[in-house]
Amino acid sequence: MKRSLTRKLAVSYLFIASILFLLVNTVCSKWIAEKVFDAQERTLYAETDKIIDRYVEQYYNNRITIKKLMEDITPVAELLKVRLWIVSPGGKVVGDTAPLNDTVIELKELDGASGEFLSETFHRNVYSRGIVGTPMLVVVVPITHQYMVKGYVCTMVTMDSVMQKAGVYVNYVNGCYLAAILVLLLVFIGIYCFMGIPLKKITAAARAYSLSNFEKKFTVYSDGEYRELADIINYMGDTMKRFHEYQREIIANVSHDFRSPLTSIKGYAEAIKDGTIPPEQQEKYLDVVLFEVERLTKLTSNLLTLNTFDQKGMLLQASEFDINDVIKKLACTFEGKCKKKHLVIQLVFSAKEIFVYADRGKIEQVIYNLVDNAIKFSHSDAAIQVGVEEKGRKAMISVKDEGIGIPKEELAKIWDRFYKSDSSRGKDKKGTGLGLSIAKEIIMAHKENINVISTEGVGTEFIFTIPLVLSEEV
């Protein structure tokens, strides 16, 4: 990324600088030269017109001689750094501020046709060997008297002097060009600093995250999209780190929870096969094998349920039903477990019938998991209370036991997948650590809340809400 972006910026900078250089020294230079020539022509025309008014008209009015005229205008020509010709209507030069000995100059020697030369005001690159030693810019101004052309004044300046003036402006423009490309260079450096460096950091972090190096952190000192992208990448890194840790935890927990029943199943199956367990005791150990298979089935089922929630989200099939009826039927399914531990399930309803609007099957699963937990952690000869109370537009369902309770420091962790308290692991090995996670996922999918109140050594109460169907709507 660094080399690619740097190369692109460098190529772009050189391309723009080259284009600007070519424009300045071709199109712009020609345009400047043309403007300078136009300005010089206008200036020479204006000065020549002044000379005619002040000096030349006196000659044609027979007030001074040609010699006197040339004596008067020669200093002016030297001051203006020009060469002046006084030309007769026939194209003969009768006066020259820079005479070449006594050579008589005919304009036809310059242009080949004196009429055409004199009829045009401006001429460039006028040159004639022996008469005009270097290319000249010539301005021809007619001398009129009583609406008649008496002659012409030709004012000449070397093309080189005009080009030198144009060169000064071109040099000035080139100086501006150099300043512009320096500013442009700073702009590109700024672009790299504000775009390239943040992208470099973001790319390095993304590459590190792709290699599972989630400790890579970075800060982008800019606002807008790059700061937002950096925050997203950092958040993604934290999420991937948590997911990576969660994945390792899942693998460790699944491996642990699968290994124990599989070991028992394998051991008892081999013992039955090789005769270590006599036929009269095989039924007993086959019951143990079936128990472990049921445990594996439950764990697999819970894993598939959570995976469905993660992959597709939870699809609810909400309907109206009597929550009291659901709880009564569920209580019957726990009769066998309760008898083994001498437990009593007490049902407390605030009304004979309480209709709610939710996904019946999933709410049954929540209540089943909570009651199953309560039975598992209750002492013998205790009571488990399952109650429903109407509160405004909500039905509050509670499952309360008189069991061992949950340590305060573990309350925030009980909703984590595969989490088992130390007391759970020691008291009952068949738990999967997924029941409460599934319950919370289901309640959150209903956009409701589930909470827990627990005191260690006293008991635990789980409370969740679901929407009521108001009596007039039933």
Side-chain angles (χ1 to χ4, degrees):
M1 170 61 73
K2 179 181 177 181
R3 290 196 300 272
S4 176
L5 182 60
T6 304
R7 186 184 301 113
K8 289 177 181 178
L9 289 174
V11 170
S12 299
Y13 172 75
L14 291 175
F15 176 77
I16 294 173
S18 300
I19 292 297
L20 288 176
F21 179 80
L22 291 174
L23 289 175
V24 167
N25 289 278
T26 54
V27 177
C28 187
S29 295
K30 290 181 180 180
W31 182 83
I32 290 173
E34 187 64 30
K35 292 298 179 182
V36 171
F37 272 100
D38 290 343
Q40 186 66 49
E41 288 172 346
R42 289 193 298 271
T43 301
L44 290 178
Y45 189 93
E47 294 297 335
T48 303
D49 199 45
K50 291 178 182 178
I51 292 171
I52 291 173
D53 289 342
R54 185 170 182 180
Y55 300 103
V56 179
E57 283 189 353
Q58 296 183 52
Y59 166 69
Y60 282 98
N61 290 331
N62 297 318
R63 295 178 184 177
I64 59 174
T65 64
I66 188 65
K67 181 178 180 181
K68 175 61 176 173
L69 173 62
M70 300 313 297
E71 288 176 357
D72 290 341
I73 66 175
T74 297
V76 178
E78 292 175 353
L79 181 64
L80 296 175
K81 297 181 180 180
V82 298
R83 181 178 180 180
L84 295 174
W85 283 349
I86 307 300
V87 183
S88 67
K92 181 179 178 181
V93 177
V94 297
D96 186 358
T97 58
L100 298 173
N101 301 321
D102 295 326
T103 304
V104 178
I105 301 173
E106 296 282 349
L107 291 185
K108 61 184 180 181
E109 299 178 25
L110 299 177
D111 198 62
S114 59
E116 292 182 9
F117 185 85
L118 294 174
S119 64
E120 296 180 5
T121 305
F122 305 112
H123 302 272
R124 296 179 187 176
N125 291 308
V126 175
Y127 175 78
S128 179
R129 187 180 299 276
I131 299 176
V132 181
T134 183
M136 305 290 280
L137 170 65
V138 181
V139 176
V140 179
V141 182
I143 305 167
T144 58
H145 180 69
Q146 296 181 353
Y147 306 105
M148 295 179 63
V149 176
K150 297 294 185 178
Y152 300 89
V153 175
C154 295
T155 305
M156 293 174 284
V157 66
T158 62
M159 294 288 292
D160 289 342
S161 64
V162 182
M163 291 300 297
Q164 286 177 1
K165 290 181 180 180
V168 171
Y169 289 107
V170 172
N171 290 337
Y172 176 77
V173 173
N174 275 318
C176 293
Y177 160 76
L178 290 175
I181 62 171
L182 287 176
V183 172
L184 187 64
L185 178 62
L186 294 177
V187 169
F188 271 82
I189 291 174
I191 290 173
Y192 179 75
C193 292
F194 286 104
M195 295 179 62
I197 293 177
L199 283 177
K200 174 188 173 185
K201 291 181 178 180
I202 292 171
T203 303
R207 185 179 295 111
Y209 296 158
S210 69
L211 298 174
S212 300
N213 178 14
F214 303 115
E215 302 302 322
K216 180 75 174 179
K217 299 294 178 184
F218 67 98
T219 303
V220 173
Y221 299 100
S222 63
D223 295 324
E225 290 80 0
Y226 284 101
R227 172 62 65 84
E228 184 178 357
L229 180 59
D231 292 342
I232 291 172
I233 293 294
N234 277 325
Y235 177 76
M236 182 182 71
D238 292 337
T239 303
M240 291 174 66
K241 180 181 179 181
R242 290 195 299 270
F243 178 77
H244 189 70
E245 292 172 350
Y246 170 68
Q247 189 178 44
R248 287 189 299 180
E249 183 181 351
I250 284 181
I251 293 172
N253 282 303
V254 170
S255 298
H256 176 273
D257 287 332
F258 269 81
R259 187 183 301 113
S260 178
L262 287 174
T263 301
S264 297
I265 292 171
K266 180 182 179 183
Y268 290 131
E270 290 177 345
I272 291 172
K273 181 180 179 180
D274 61 19
T276 303
I277 297 175
E280 63 273 12
Q281 294 184 354
Q282 288 182 1
E283 184 177 354
K284 172 185 175 182
Y285 289 101
L286 283 173
D287 288 338
V288 174
V289 169
L290 290 173
F291 176 82
E292 295 294 354
V293 170
E294 180 185 354
R295 178 183 169 192
L296 285 174
T297 301
K298 183 179 179 182
L299 176 60
T300 304
S301 176
N302 287 339
L303 284 172
L304 290 174
T305 299
L306 287 173
N307 184 64
T308 301
F309 294 168
D310 290 339
Q311 296 295 324
K312 299 179 181 178
M314 191 178 300
L315 299 177
L316 301 178
Q317 295 180 345
S319 61
E320 298 176 6
F321 60 92
D322 181 10
I323 188 67
N324 294 353
D325 182 60
V326 170
I327 292 173
K328 291 174 185 176
K329 290 179 179 178
L330 281 174
C332 293
T333 64
F334 289 104
E335 185 176 347
K337 289 185 178 181
C338 289
K339 283 184 178 179
K340 288 182 180 179
K341 295 186 69 172
H342 304 286
L343 298 174
V344 176
I345 296 180
Q346 300 173 347
L347 305 181
V348 181
F349 305 132
S350 62
K352 184 178 180 181
E353 292 181 334
I354 300 176
F355 284 87
V356 296
Y357 185 75
D359 187 315
R360 178 168 182 155
K362 289 183 171 57
I363 295 300
E364 286 179 355
Q365 188 175 5
V366 172
I367 298 172
Y368 182 92
N369 289 351
L370 295 179
V371 174
D372 188 55
N373 255 18
I375 292 172
K376 180 167 47 175
F377 293 107
S378 289
H379 302 296
S380 298
D381 302 312
I384 296 172
Q385 187 181 91
V386 182
V388 182
E389 185 179 0
E390 296 173 283
K391 290 284 187 180
R393 293 178 174 271
K394 306 287 184 181
M396 296 183 63
I397 296 92
S398 63
V399 177
K400 184 177 181 181
D401 65 57
E402 300 172 354
I404 62 175
I406 304 171
K408 186 176 181 180
E409 62 274 9
E410 296 183 5
L411 282 175
K413 302 176 183 178
I414 62 172
W415 309 109
D416 295 343
R417 298 178 183 184
F418 292 104
Y419 180 77
K420 296 180 184 179
S421 66
D422 291 337
S423 57
S424 172
R425 289 190 182 276
K427 187 176 180 64
D428 189 345
K429 294 289 186 180
K430 78 170 184 175
T432 64
L434 297 174
L436 291 180
S437 296
I438 293 173
K440 186 171 184 179
E441 294 275 358
I442 291 173
I443 298 303
M444 288 179 65
H446 283 79
K447 297 182 180 179
E448 297 293 335
N449 297 312
I450 182 168
N451 297 297
V452 60
I453 301 170
S454 184
T455 302
E456 194 170 4
V458 176
T460 302
E461 181 178 13
F462 287 92
I463 304 170
F464 68 90
T465 61
I466 49 177
L468 276 173
V469 177
L470 301 181
S471 57
E472 64 269 16
E473 298 174 353
V474 177

